[in-house]
Amino acid sequence: MDKIATQSPRQKRDPEETRKRILKAAKKEFAQLGLAGARVDTIADRAKANKRMIYHYFGNKEDLFQAVIEEAYLDIRAAERKLKLELLEPVEAIKALVRFSWDYYLKNPEFLALVNSENLHRARHLKKAQTIIEVHGRFIGMVEEILQRGVGQGVFRPDVDPVQLVITIAGISYYYQTNRYTGSIIFQRDLMSDEAREERLNFNIDTILRLLRP
Amino acid sequence: MDKIATQSPRQKRDPEETRKRILKAAKKEFAQLGLAGARVDTIADRAKANKRMIYHYFGNKEDLFQAVIEEAYLDIRAAERKLKLELLEPVEAIKALVRFSWDYYLKNPEFLALVNSENLHRARHLKKAQTIIEVHGRFIGMVEEILQRGVGQGVFRPDVDPVQLVITIAGISYYYQTNRYTGSIIFQRDLMSDEAREERLNFNIDTILRLLRP
Amino acid sequence: MDKIATQSPRQKRDPEETRKRILKAAKKEFAQLGLAGARVDTIADRAKANKRMIYHYFGNKEDLFQAVIEEAYLDIRAAERKLKLELLEPVEAIKALVRFSWDYYLKNPEFLALVNSENLHRARHLKKAQTIIEVHGRFIGMVEEILQRGVGQGVFRPDVDPVQLVITIAGISYYYQTNRYTGSIIFQRDLMSDEAREERLNFNIDTILRLLRP
Amino acid sequence: MDKIATQSPRQKRDPEETRKRILKAAKKEFAQLGLAGARVDTIADRAKANKRMIYHYFGNKEDLFQAVIEEAYLDIRAAERKLKLELLEPVEAIKALVRFSWDYYLKNPEFLALVNSENLHRARHLKKAQTIIEVHGRFIGMVEEILQRGVGQGVFRPDVDPVQLVITIAGISYYYQTNRYTGSIIFQRDLMSDEAREERLNFNIDTILRLLRP
DNA sequence: CATGAATGAGAATTCATTCAT
DNA sequence: TATGAATGAATTCTCATTCAT
């Protein structure tokens, strides 16, 4: 739909703010419609920015998508770091991590959609983002350290690959949530009701603890 | 640039064949690029069919997508029924099911992409497919029956929700494979090498058995 | 200016015709405004064709320009070949050639503009046109043959480089005509009046004959 | 993509200098790409000036083009006046003029491109430049005077129109050089090598002297 | 049934110009 | 005078869909 003579007042001159507004609007749009389905016009509208500014700050649609992807990956790791898992007892740390995955996806469903989109594009945007690789490496290191502490205390079995664990923790929440629409149809059950969500989270914690149990 | 006057030889007049070729080409294209990214022209080319035929057989692009989605869901359940899980011992049946999920996704990566796409579109195409709901209901029923047998034999703990189980079985394979591109970058590891795949499958079987263990 | 609801009747389905109409319209537009100044929309309008057809037949604006350039160069040589200069006496042949240059530019002012445009673009389109190089080589060969006959008959001096001659013949007409607008101002004289044109043509013939005189 | 935040150091406040830098950058850009192809942004960059300054000093893109054209025409005549042809013997004066044309175009190829551009625009910018008309009138007067002296000395034939002569002198150099890209392809010869240039200059001098010979 | 040319409504991108600071 | 962010109007190019043959 065209905006007709809405004559929005000229935007304040705050470059950093403008850039952020665009990025936020783009995240929403890309999450909702994918790279191909997203519309630059809509992003501009949502950002209350001039379309020209998108090209000014980000180059083109694809580069904007890349910026969105990068930010999304940095955000989730930043949020996770705030948990300070390394300060918790092993079992508590793992529980917190499972809960974090579940909650983060729940509060940031765009993240799931963006990751799916990025995989559709064979991760060609993520490939260029060196920082993310580093940040992620540190995350795996931390999980490994938790596992070792748990093994030392006799609460976890040895020889669990931290990468397999992390993938499993993510997978059991991710799949449930990213497929909430098809899942609700196929299983004929509202997967996202309060009870359903609570039940699933507990199921996931149980699954992971059983997996680690000696 | 468009190709001009390739004058491909007029296709044989085999309606059913043409329809199938289009459907197959469409599945590939939609899986590769999503609904918005897919091109009707490309589908026609890939199907070695005339574009007009797509509209003749399927109405429009979106309806074609719907046909692809329906077929994809019917196919996976048909493949699974061939396993005749109900004839196996409970533990063997579950193992076979985990293995099946893993292998099916591996051999049919379009399925993952299509399901992701369909969720991007909030399952609005799947909603219209009554058959799939029924087929799926029977599948859940069968898993439930396996669980009960296992509980009766004392090899499974009681009170495991078959839906949660099925979602978990799917999720731990699905996530790994659908995110193979971003995953390989983030974890700095080739997730799809022969060894990696073998290792993951075993990990998954183990995860599910631990989850069911009394 | 937009055309408003002119609702032109759907064009007849004559691909070759459509292609020609586009090419002709493009030649006019590019000659008038250059590659950068030309508008694809205007070309479509002028060709009474759908804009989409331009991309269908020619790929993009630049490729269309290239097609125009190629055709322009082929046309002038084709017109010149019709003169059958090789059948004339040397002096008459040269006179005919000088006259031809003058007249061709006069009747085809787009040619001058297109060549100027192509030089602005450092001949990057012409570079790809092998045919033109060959056609032109034959043209130079024919002029050389005329020169030799003239030398043999004692009417031309020896050792005149046919390329220099051809460039000179072209240059004295080309410059006059391509600069007719700035020239008319600078020299405060209507360079394109009937008398002015007649006078210049005679001057040019004289110049070339003096140049060849033994 | 736009460059962002290059934060070039604020330019010194030297109005006249800024104006000159813009004019010089504009000449280059217009010569390279024509009026339509030139970019105001690029001109600003090349001039290391703020885009706003272009509008401040020149009004708009088209007026800037006009300023460039005017300057170009004034420059060539100024350079030519320095030759003091009126002090040379007629034959030497003409030789010097032919050589000047050749050399000036060689050292100022933008001049050729600008003149071509201006003719594409039907000289609408030059029309407004009264000074140029006057300067040029004086130039023709001087050539006429040289011709008369030559006729008086019996070294030139009478009745040669100075305007035709001037156009011819310009044309044989101009055409060669302005078409150096297409020419080099069509004639399959590097028209701009040292030898080729030397040969052409001599050819041109010879052509003009033969044209004037009694 | 089959073909592929033609269409119109977008969609991405570009650009000269203006305006707040 | 100088800066560069912001704007809106084009402009090139794309795409699903229709229609004559």
Side-chain angles (χ1 to χ4, degrees):
Chain A
M1 196 191 315
D2 267 67
K3 57 167 186 188
I4 292 170
T6 2
Q7 274 295 30
S8 55
R10 184 169 269 250
Q11 217 53 39
K12 278 205 315 290
R13 293 166 79 84
D14 184 341
E16 198 42 47
E17 244 296 292
T18 303
R19 201 180 178 283
K20 270 184 198 156
R21 280 206 320 279
I22 292 172
L23 206 53
K24 200 175 158 189
K27 179 185 248 177
K28 224 175 186 168
E29 175 81 357
F30 283 131
Q32 221 165 88
L33 298 163
L35 174 51
R39 295 293 163 248
V40 174
D41 272 289
T42 312
I43 293 171
D45 281 1
R46 284 182 162 182
K48 291 189 196 307
N50 185 283
K51 201 173 19 162
R52 188 62 188 76
M53 288 295 96
I54 292 178
Y55 292 92
H56 183 64
Y57 286 114
F58 296 95
N60 58 30
K61 189 186 178 183
E62 184 128 6
D63 289 351
L64 175 57
F65 183 77
Q66 166 148 349
V68 166
I69 288 289
E70 286 192 28
E71 210 208 32
Y73 271 94
L74 290 176
D75 274 2
I76 188 172
R77 288 289 71 95
E80 168 270 313
R81 273 200 307 279
K82 283 195 193 150
L83 298 178
K84 306 245 177 239
L85 298 179
E86 62 278 12
L87 304 182
L88 301 178
E89 285 303 297
V91 170
E92 287 313 305
I94 292 297
K95 278 185 181 175
L97 185 55
V98 175
R99 193 173 285 118
F100 170 77
S101 279
W102 179 260
D103 288 343
Y104 190 86
Y105 296 160
L106 206 58
K107 286 183 205 141
N108 304 276
E110 328 87 55
F111 180 75
L112 303 173
L114 290 171
V115 171
N116 282 338
S117 277
E118 180 60 358
N119 276 289
L120 190 67
H121 296 285
R122 313 200 160 200
R124 71 165 178 267
H125 310 95
L126 196 61
K127 259 179 202 149
K128 302 178 195 159
Q130 188 54 35
T131 335
I132 283 158
I133 296 171
E134 292 161 14
V135 165
H136 220 82
R138 265 175 272 146
F139 171 57
I140 295 296
M142 191 216 47
V143 172
E144 186 161 25
E145 190 267 343
I146 293 170
L147 282 179
Q148 285 167 354
R149 272 195 289 138
V151 174
Q153 297 176 15
V155 294
F156 293 159
R157 66 179 165 112
D159 299 327
V160 172
D161 178 350
V163 168
Q164 298 292 4
L165 177 64
V166 162
I167 290 176
T168 306
I169 290 174
I172 56 184
S173 287
Y174 188 101
Y175 178 86
Y176 187 98
Q177 292 194 37
T178 195
N179 291 349
R180 62 192 177 284
Y181 298 108
T182 55
S184 289
I185 289 174
I186 274 180
F187 299 114
Q188 289 286 295
R189 184 191 282 197
D190 178 1
L191 295 177
M192 300 307 277
S193 72
D194 288 355
E195 307 78 45
R197 277 161 30 200
E198 164 115 21
E199 185 193 334
R200 180 65 188 181
L201 172 53
N202 290 330
F203 189 91
N204 284 349
I205 292 173
D206 189 42
T207 298
I208 296 302
L209 290 184
R210 283 171 164 266
L211 153 59
L212 291 174
R213 193 168 295 166
Chain B
M1 194 183 328
D2 286 41
K3 61 169 186 180
I4 287 170
T6 2
Q7 277 292 32
S8 55
R10 183 173 274 244
Q11 214 56 37
K12 282 199 315 287
R13 297 200 169 202
D14 183 341
E16 196 43 44
E17 242 298 290
T18 303
R19 200 182 178 284
K20 269 186 198 158
R21 279 207 321 279
I22 291 172
L23 205 54
K24 198 175 159 189
K27 178 186 249 178
K28 225 177 184 166
E29 175 80 357
F30 284 130
Q32 223 166 86
L33 298 162
L35 173 51
R39 296 292 161 249
V40 174
D41 273 284
T42 312
I43 293 171
D45 281 1
R46 284 183 161 180
K48 290 188 198 308
N50 186 279
K51 216 175 359 165
R52 191 64 191 78
M53 291 297 94
I54 293 176
Y55 290 92
H56 182 68
Y57 286 116
F58 296 94
N60 59 28
K61 189 187 178 183
E62 184 127 7
D63 289 349
L64 175 56
F65 183 76
Q66 167 148 351
V68 166
I69 288 288
E70 286 188 25
E71 209 208 33
Y73 270 94
L74 289 176
D75 274 1
I76 187 171
R77 288 289 72 95
E80 168 270 312
R81 273 199 308 280
K82 285 195 191 149
L83 298 178
K84 306 244 177 238
L85 297 180
E86 61 278 14
L87 306 182
L88 300 179
E89 285 302 300
V91 169
E92 286 313 305
I94 293 298
K95 277 186 180 176
L97 186 55
V98 176
R99 194 174 283 117
F100 170 77
S101 279
W102 179 261
D103 287 344
Y104 190 85
Y105 297 160
L106 207 57
K107 285 182 204 139
N108 303 278
E110 326 87 55
F111 179 74
L112 302 173
L114 290 170
V115 171
N116 282 338
S117 276
E118 180 60 358
N119 276 290
L120 190 66
H121 295 285
R122 311 196 162 204
R124 72 164 177 267
H125 310 93
L126 196 63
K127 262 181 200 147
K128 303 179 194 161
Q130 188 54 35
T131 335
I132 283 158
I133 296 171
E134 293 161 13
V135 166
H136 219 81
R138 265 174 272 146
F139 171 57
I140 296 295
M142 189 213 51
V143 172
E144 187 162 22
E145 190 266 343
I146 293 169
L147 282 180
Q148 285 168 354
R149 273 196 287 139
V151 173
Q153 296 176 17
V155 295
F156 294 157
R157 65 180 166 112
D159 299 327
V160 172
D161 178 351
V163 167
Q164 298 293 4
L165 177 65
V166 163
I167 290 176
T168 306
I169 290 174
I172 56 183
S173 286
Y174 188 100
Y175 178 87
Y176 188 98
Q177 291 194 39
T178 196
N179 292 348
R180 61 190 177 287
Y181 297 109
T182 54
S184 289
I185 288 173
I186 274 179
F187 297 114
Q188 289 285 295
R189 185 191 283 199
D190 178 2
L191 295 178
M192 300 308 278
S193 71
D194 288 355
E195 307 79 46
R197 278 160 30 198
E198 163 117 20
E199 186 192 332
R200 180 66 189 180
L201 173 52
N202 290 330
F203 190 92
N204 284 349
I205 292 173
D206 190 41
T207 298
I208 296 303
L209 292 184
R210 283 171 165 266
L211 153 59
L212 291 174
R213 192 168 297 166
Chain C
M1 197 190 314
D2 267 67
K3 56 168 184 184
I4 291 167
T6 2
Q7 273 294 30
S8 54
R10 187 169 266 250
Q11 217 52 41
K12 279 207 313 290
R13 291 166 79 85
D14 184 341
E16 197 42 46
E17 243 296 292
T18 302
R19 201 180 178 282
K20 269 186 198 156
R21 279 207 320 280
I22 292 172
L23 205 54
K24 199 174 158 191
K27 179 187 248 176
K28 225 175 184 170
E29 176 80 357
F30 283 131
Q32 223 166 87
L33 298 164
L35 173 51
R39 295 295 163 244
V40 174
D41 272 289
T42 312
I43 293 171
D45 282 0
R46 284 182 163 180
K48 290 187 196 309
N50 186 285
K51 201 175 16 164
R52 187 61 188 77
M53 288 294 96
I54 292 177
Y55 293 94
H56 183 65
Y57 287 114
F58 295 95
N60 59 28
K61 189 185 177 183
E62 184 127 8
D63 288 350
L64 176 57
F65 183 77
Q66 168 150 349
V68 166
I69 289 288
E70 286 192 29
E71 209 207 32
Y73 271 94
L74 290 176
D75 274 1
I76 187 172
R77 288 290 72 94
E80 169 269 311
R81 273 201 307 281
K82 283 194 192 151
L83 298 178
K84 307 247 175 235
L85 298 179
E86 62 277 13
L87 304 181
L88 301 178
E89 284 304 297
V91 169
E92 287 313 306
I94 292 298
K95 278 185 181 175
L97 185 56
V98 175
R99 192 173 284 118
F100 170 77
S101 280
W102 179 260
D103 287 345
Y104 190 86
Y105 297 159
L106 205 58
K107 285 181 205 143
N108 303 278
E110 327 87 53
F111 179 75
L112 302 173
L114 290 170
V115 171
N116 282 338
S117 275
E118 179 61 359
N119 276 289
L120 190 66
H121 296 284
R122 310 198 162 203
R124 71 164 177 268
H125 311 93
L126 196 62
K127 260 179 201 147
K128 302 179 195 159
Q130 188 55 34
T131 335
I132 283 157
I133 296 170
E134 292 161 14
V135 165
H136 219 84
R138 266 174 272 145
F139 170 57
I140 296 295
M142 188 214 52
V143 172
E144 186 161 24
E145 190 264 343
I146 293 169
L147 282 180
Q148 285 168 353
R149 273 196 288 137
V151 172
Q153 297 177 17
V155 295
F156 294 159
R157 65 181 167 112
D159 300 326
V160 172
D161 178 351
V163 167
Q164 298 293 3
L165 176 64
V166 162
I167 289 176
T168 307
I169 290 173
I172 56 184
S173 287
Y174 188 102
Y175 178 86
Y176 187 99
Q177 292 194 37
T178 195
N179 291 348
R180 60 191 178 286
Y181 298 107
T182 55
S184 289
I185 288 173
I186 274 178
F187 298 114
Q188 289 286 295
R189 187 193 279 197
D190 178 1
L191 295 177
M192 300 308 277
S193 71
D194 288 355
E195 307 79 46
R197 278 159 32 197
E198 164 119 18
E199 186 193 331
R200 180 64 189 182
L201 173 52
N202 289 330
F203 189 92
N204 283 350
I205 294 174
D206 189 40
T207 297
I208 297 302
L209 290 184
R210 282 170 166 268
L211 151 60
L212 291 174
R213 193 167 297 166
Chain D
M1 194 185 326
D2 285 45
K3 59 168 189 183
I4 288 172
T6 3
Q7 276 294 32
S8 55
R10 181 173 275 247
Q11 214 56 37
K12 282 201 313 287
R13 298 198 169 203
D14 182 342
E16 195 46 42
E17 243 297 292
T18 304
R19 200 181 179 283
K20 269 187 197 156
R21 279 207 320 280
I22 292 173
L23 205 54
K24 199 174 159 190
K27 179 186 247 175
K28 225 177 185 167
E29 175 81 356
F30 284 130
Q32 222 166 87
L33 298 163
L35 173 51
R39 297 293 161 247
V40 174
D41 273 285
T42 312
I43 292 171
D45 282 1
R46 285 182 160 180
K48 290 187 197 309
N50 185 278
K51 216 175 359 167
R52 192 62 190 78
M53 291 296 95
I54 293 177
Y55 291 91
H56 181 69
Y57 286 116
F58 296 95
N60 60 26
K61 189 186 179 186
E62 184 126 7
D63 289 349
L64 175 57
F65 183 76
Q66 167 147 352
V68 166
I69 288 288
E70 286 192 27
E71 209 207 34
Y73 271 95
L74 290 176
D75 275 0
I76 187 173
R77 288 290 71 94
E80 169 269 314
R81 273 200 307 281
K82 283 194 191 151
L83 298 178
K84 306 248 177 233
L85 297 180
E86 62 276 14
L87 304 182
L88 300 179
E89 284 303 298
V91 169
E92 287 313 305
I94 292 299
K95 278 185 179 174
L97 185 56
V98 175
R99 191 173 286 117
F100 170 77
S101 280
W102 179 260
D103 287 343
Y104 189 86
Y105 295 160
L106 207 57
K107 284 181 205 144
N108 304 277
E110 326 89 52
F111 179 74
L112 302 173
L114 291 170
V115 171
N116 282 338
S117 276
E118 179 61 359
N119 276 288
L120 190 67
H121 296 284
R122 311 200 162 201
R124 71 166 177 266
H125 310 93
L126 196 62
K127 261 180 199 148
K128 303 179 194 160
Q130 189 55 36
T131 335
I132 283 158
I133 296 171
E134 292 161 14
V135 165
H136 221 82
R138 267 174 270 144
F139 170 56
I140 296 295
M142 189 215 49
V143 172
E144 186 161 24
E145 189 267 342
I146 292 170
L147 281 180
Q148 283 167 355
R149 271 196 288 137
V151 173
Q153 295 177 16
V155 295
F156 293 159
R157 65 178 167 114
D159 299 327
V160 171
D161 178 351
V163 168
Q164 299 292 5
L165 177 65
V166 163
I167 290 176
T168 306
I169 290 174
I172 56 185
S173 287
Y174 188 102
Y175 177 87
Y176 188 98
Q177 293 194 37
T178 196
N179 292 348
R180 61 191 176 286
Y181 297 108
T182 53
S184 289
I185 289 173
I186 273 179
F187 298 114
Q188 290 284 292
R189 187 192 279 197
D190 178 2
L191 295 178
M192 300 309 276
S193 72
D194 288 355
E195 307 79 44
R197 278 161 29 199
E198 164 115 21
E199 186 193 331
R200 180 65 188 181
L201 173 54
N202 290 331
F203 189 91
N204 283 350
I205 293 173
D206 189 41
T207 298
I208 296 303
L209 291 184
R210 281 169 166 268
L211 152 59
L212 291 174
R213 193 167 296 164

